[in-house]
Amino acid sequence: MPAPATEERDRLDRAALLDTAEALFYAHGIQAVGMDRVREASGLPLKRIYRLFATKEDLVVAVLRRRDRRWRESLAAHVERVAGPRERVLAVFDWLAAWCAEPGFRGCAWINAHGELGAASEAVLTEVRAHKRAFHDQLSGWVRATGLPLTEPVYLLAEGAIVTAGITGDPSAAGHARKAVEALLRGAAD
Amino acid sequence: MPAPATEERDRLDRAALLDTAEALFYAHGIQAVGMDRVREASGLPLKRIYRLFATKEDLVVAVLRRRDRRWRESLAAHVERVAGPRERVLAVFDWLAAWCAEPGFRGCAWINAHGELGAASEAVLTEVRAHKRAFHDQLSGWVRATGLPLTEPVYLLAEGAIVTAGITGDPSAAGHARKAVEALLRGAAD
DNA sequence: TAAGGTAGAGAACGACCGTTCTCAACGTCA
DNA sequence: TGACGTTGAGAACGGTCGTTCTCTACCTTA
């Protein structure tokens, strides 16, 4: 049965390609990484790459989409391991702090992609907005569980921490955001 | 006296060039705008452009630096027209809301530049960090005048509002941030 | 008026981009 | 075994980039 074997190989190669491309795009920027560099790093022939993704833009979108799924799943897994609505909201910022402190952290991949291609690529812009909306809605669920109308402030503090950590390289922004959220939870609770 | 006349013309051309380049870079992205497009839009010969700025990177840095000065001067002029420390902090967010609602608004020029060139250009990265630090310090002055230790939360809310408005295109983020700052001012005041 | 330095207009250059094409090697089925 | 469809390796293509060079025209100064 050659057809299933081919499909399986496609699936594996696609995953390996996404791994390679994601690492390169995140570390150096999307426009700075040519398809030849992706080919070299992945070990896949250019022809095969273009059979798996018709254009570079398609590859970029696929990278962002898979990263979105993984990123939010990882966040949710961390948060939902915690008991108590307020503790969960605070756990978001613990997870963000750990993420920002990872070696090789270079800011939010979607904010960076927006800066690079938001004006040039409709597909990338759509993907970035979809990620931000999904993160907003995810966060909104946890905040609403506290019974306090704090979705927007908490979301803006998270975004501020992410962008600030990305630019300054200092991961303490997430800690500051966490303290601010504590204050808001306290202040709105009276 | 031909020397002074030349210097004056250089000064004027430099200013016109910065105007043109800033508008193009902001609207379309830096990498998407070639030097030939800058030449065409400015009406200046390529030779003259390269005599005023040795490289494109120099031009980009000069654009960011002048924009930083203007941006923060405009903000300060608005804020310091207001009386009362807390009102001043809130006025920051009124100014941000107006800025985000301007036609052609496409997010924070420095965040965008960081996404495009932060990994590739040390000079651009330095300029972006300098702007963010300067804005942070400016804000810090106004917040400290309230006597409340709220610099970091207020700064993170501002950054979150700017980046969110830039990505979603919805300027209401600044209004949400303003409400959050009001709550923090109230909560920390007891 | 004659000579010389400077500036403008745009062609040219080398590098690199995303993408496609060539061509030889190979595995597969009649 | 022999023909064929598919693949891999990488050369090639058209385009664009940042930057430099050419060459003509002019303006200045003696």
Side-chain angles (χ1 to χ4, degrees):
Chain A
M1 44 181 81
T6 296
E7 281 177 22
E8 177 65 7
R9 197 159 76 99
D10 279 6
R11 215 182 49 78
L12 291 174
D13 281 356
R14 206 190 308 267
L17 189 52
L18 289 174
D19 287 341
T20 303
E22 180 174 351
L24 288 174
F25 290 161
Y26 184 68
H28 306 104
I30 295 167
Q31 311 206 64
V33 173
M35 291 300 277
D36 211 60
R37 187 124 166 243
V38 173
R39 176 197 60 77
E40 177 190 315
S42 68
L44 265 47
L46 219 39
K47 201 171 191 173
R48 167 154 271 272
I49 294 176
Y50 274 96
R51 214 159 55 75
L52 296 170
F53 298 97
T55 65
K56 185 184 184 181
E57 189 180 46
D58 287 354
L59 176 60
V60 171
V61 168
V63 163
L64 291 177
R65 188 164 301 170
R66 197 192 58 166
R67 188 181 174 97
D68 167 66
R69 191 161 36 78
R70 288 185 173 176
W71 191 86
R72 290 189 302 108
E73 277 173 7
S74 170
L75 170 61
H78 176 86
V79 168
E80 286 165 8
R81 202 178 300 134
V82 173
R86 297 190 186 200
E87 288 72 17
R88 282 191 170 183
V89 171
L90 292 174
V92 170
F93 292 85
D94 295 333
W95 186 87
L96 285 180
W99 175 50
C100 294
E102 277 176 16
F105 175 76
R106 225 182 61 73
C108 173
W110 297 271
I111 292 175
N112 293 346
H114 178 262
E116 276 201 83
L117 299 169
S121 164
E122 195 67 38
V124 169
L125 179 59
T126 300
E127 204 56 39
V128 171
R129 287 181 170 164
H131 163 75
K132 288 303 183 191
R133 188 171 328 115
F135 173 50
H136 177 279
D137 293 352
Q138 196 176 29
L139 201 51
S140 175
W142 295 320
V143 174
R144 269 180 297 142
T146 66
L148 300 170
L150 293 175
T151 291
E152 299 307 325
V154 170
Y155 174 71
L156 293 179
L157 284 165
E159 288 294 322
I162 290 169
V163 75
T164 296
I167 287 176
T168 66
D170 177 5
S172 69
H176 290 135
R178 191 196 144 110
K179 282 212 194 86
V181 171
E182 287 183 68
L184 285 170
L185 289 170
R186 243 183 292 118
D190 52 12
Chain B
M1 43 181 78
T6 296
E7 281 177 22
E8 177 64 7
R9 197 159 77 99
D10 279 5
R11 214 181 51 78
L12 291 174
D13 281 355
R14 206 188 310 265
L17 189 52
L18 289 173
D19 287 340
T20 303
E22 180 174 351
L24 288 174
F25 290 161
Y26 183 69
H28 306 104
I30 295 168
Q31 311 206 64
V33 173
M35 291 299 277
D36 210 60
R37 187 125 165 242
V38 173
R39 175 199 59 77
E40 178 190 314
S42 68
L44 265 45
L46 218 39
K47 202 172 191 175
R48 167 154 271 271
I49 293 176
Y50 274 95
R51 215 157 55 73
L52 296 170
F53 299 96
T55 65
K56 185 183 184 181
E57 189 180 46
D58 287 354
L59 175 60
V60 170
V61 168
V63 163
L64 291 177
R65 188 164 302 170
R66 197 192 59 165
R67 188 180 173 98
D68 167 67
R69 191 161 37 76
R70 288 185 174 176
W71 192 87
R72 290 190 302 107
E73 278 173 6
S74 170
L75 170 61
H78 176 87
V79 167
E80 285 164 11
R81 202 178 300 133
V82 173
R86 296 190 186 200
E87 288 72 18
R88 282 190 170 185
V89 172
L90 293 173
V92 170
F93 292 85
D94 295 332
W95 185 87
L96 285 179
W99 176 50
C100 293
E102 276 176 16
F105 175 77
R106 224 181 62 73
C108 173
W110 298 272
I111 293 175
N112 292 346
H114 177 264
E116 275 202 81
L117 299 170
S121 164
E122 195 68 38
V124 169
L125 179 59
T126 300
E127 204 57 38
V128 171
R129 286 180 171 164
H131 163 75
K132 288 303 183 191
R133 188 171 327 115
F135 173 50
H136 177 279
D137 293 351
Q138 195 176 30
L139 202 50
S140 174
W142 295 319
V143 175
R144 269 180 296 140
T146 67
L148 301 170
L150 293 175
T151 292
E152 298 308 325
V154 170
Y155 174 71
L156 293 178
L157 284 165
E159 288 294 322
I162 290 169
V163 76
T164 296
I167 287 176
T168 65
D170 176 5
S172 69
H176 291 135
R178 193 197 143 110
K179 282 212 194 85
V181 171
E182 287 184 69
L184 285 170
L185 289 171
R186 244 183 291 119
D190 51 13

